[in-house]
Amino acid sequence: MKYALRAVAVLVLGIVVAGLIFYRYPLWVADQQTRYHLWRRGVKSDYIEAGGYKLHYFEASPAGGAGTPLVLVHGLGARGEDWGAMMPALAAQGFHVYAPDLLGYGRSPKPDLDYSISLEEQTVVNFMQAVHVPRADIGGWSMGGWIAMKLALDHPEIVDRLVIYDSAGIYFPAKWGPDLFTPNDVTGVRELMALLSPKPRPLPNFAAEAALRKLQGNAWVLRRSMSSMTTGRDLLDFRLYEMKPPMLIVWGAQDELIPLSVGERIHESVPQSVLDVVEGCGHLAPAECARPVIEGTVDFLRSEPPLKGGGRNFPVEATAN
């Protein structure tokens, strides 16, 4: 009886401690769950020296280790984990997937740099050289789409096909200010979430406060990135006609951060592009609507010859993960 009571006491104490850890560090707990899930599905987490910096990256390969190289570039304030819904599925479809944490983000270093689009473009070039991938299909989400498009324009010799998801990169009149990504209170966090998703999940105060701490901890990098982007130096409006690789443009129809009209303008500027509109989804389509996004991505990357022109719309019922 005495040992049974001790066991119960230890169990209760463990539950209390776990609850306190989750309450104080909910994002850390969520990260551990995500990384465990990726590990269980065969996604490797590693570091590599690239351009003088030790970059963190994820790698997911098909059975046998070969496959078509595919490099995925995350967006502003993001990291490789944000491709978590897509990496294992794309690897299962025969792609050798690489998802680096850009300089200043995730588990990569945060040196004193300007964090411009050009800088991060060079980071991707350095990363591809480091992992010995001379050519690849390139995917980019949001700011990552901007980086991917600039990479395809500046280095078409290393890009086979290009996929962008709810991408920045051309001018549009934003309904939000540059401070959106560096909120000062939980109200600002909720405003950011409302712009990212048409159906944001309810966020308890303790989780919103944890998100606020995380955003503020990396605010200086985000501010430098935004400052560089808003100068217009790297905008691609007058360069898109030079685009050579076949291009897929995937967009959440309800994206309030970067509206669908931006994707339509990119599509009009690149004759060899295909526009896929995912109904019922916002800026987080690759995460919240992974199934149709993966289907569209695989169809495009596998098509022979590459799909050109036109577009298609995924129905609302297809947007479930």
Side-chain angles (χ1 to χ4, degrees), residues 237-251:
D237 298 65
F238 303 109
R239 295 191 61 194
L240 288 177
Y241 73 92
E242 302 172 359
M243 188 69 70
K244 293 180 180 179
M247 181 177 182
L248 173 65
I249 303 163
V250 182
W251 224 273

Side-chain angles (χ1 to χ4, degrees), residues 3-191:
Y3 294 110
L5 289 174
R6 285 182 180 175
V8 170
V10 170
L11 177 62
V12 170
L13 179 61
I15 293 173
V16 170
V17 170
L20 289 173
I21 292 173
F22 177 72
Y23 181 81
R24 187 68 179 92
Y25 305 106
L27 300 186
W28 179 85
V29 173
D31 280 349
Q32 304 315 304
Q33 292 175 333
T34 298
R35 292 166 187 172
Y36 176 73
H37 170 73
L38 290 173
W39 174 76
R40 284 289 304 271
R41 298 193 66 183
V43 180
K44 182 178 73 171
S45 171
D46 207 346
Y47 291 84
I48 195 164
E49 193 77 19
Y53 297 102
K54 192 176 181 181
L55 298 181
H56 173 262
Y57 70 102
F58 288 101
E59 181 178 0
S61 58
T68 304
L70 172 60
V71 178
L72 299 176
V73 186
H74 66 73
L76 183 74
R79 69 267 171 86
E81 282 91 342
D82 290 3
W83 296 104
M86 295 184 63
M87 288 186 286
L90 290 170
Q93 292 294 328
F95 296 93
H96 195 135
V97 184
Y98 301 87
D101 288 344
L102 296 172
L103 278 178
Y105 297 96
R107 286 177 273 177
S108 287
K110 298 171 175 56
D112 186 9
L113 300 170
D114 65 359
Y115 294 103
S116 64
I117 297 298
S118 294
L119 170 77
E120 300 294 16
E121 174 195 11
Q122 187 59 48
T123 299
V124 177
V125 172
N126 294 339
F127 172 77
M128 290 177 64
Q129 292 172 346
V131 294
H132 305 292
V133 175
R135 294 183 61 90
D137 296 330
I138 307 293
W141 181 358
S142 193
M143 181 188 77
W146 189 347
I147 295 165
M149 286 191 289
K150 192 171 186 303
L151 178 69
L153 288 165
D154 293 341
H155 303 280
E157 72 281 359
I158 69 173
V159 179
D160 285 326
R161 302 191 189 193
L162 176 64
V163 186
I164 62 170
Y165 307 88
D166 297 86
S167 178
I170 65 173
Y171 173 79
F172 68 97
K175 298 178 182 178
W176 40 268
D179 293 336
L180 174 70
F181 300 97
T182 54
N184 294 314
D185 51 36
V186 294
T187 299
V189 172
R190 290 194 170 93
E191 289 173 353

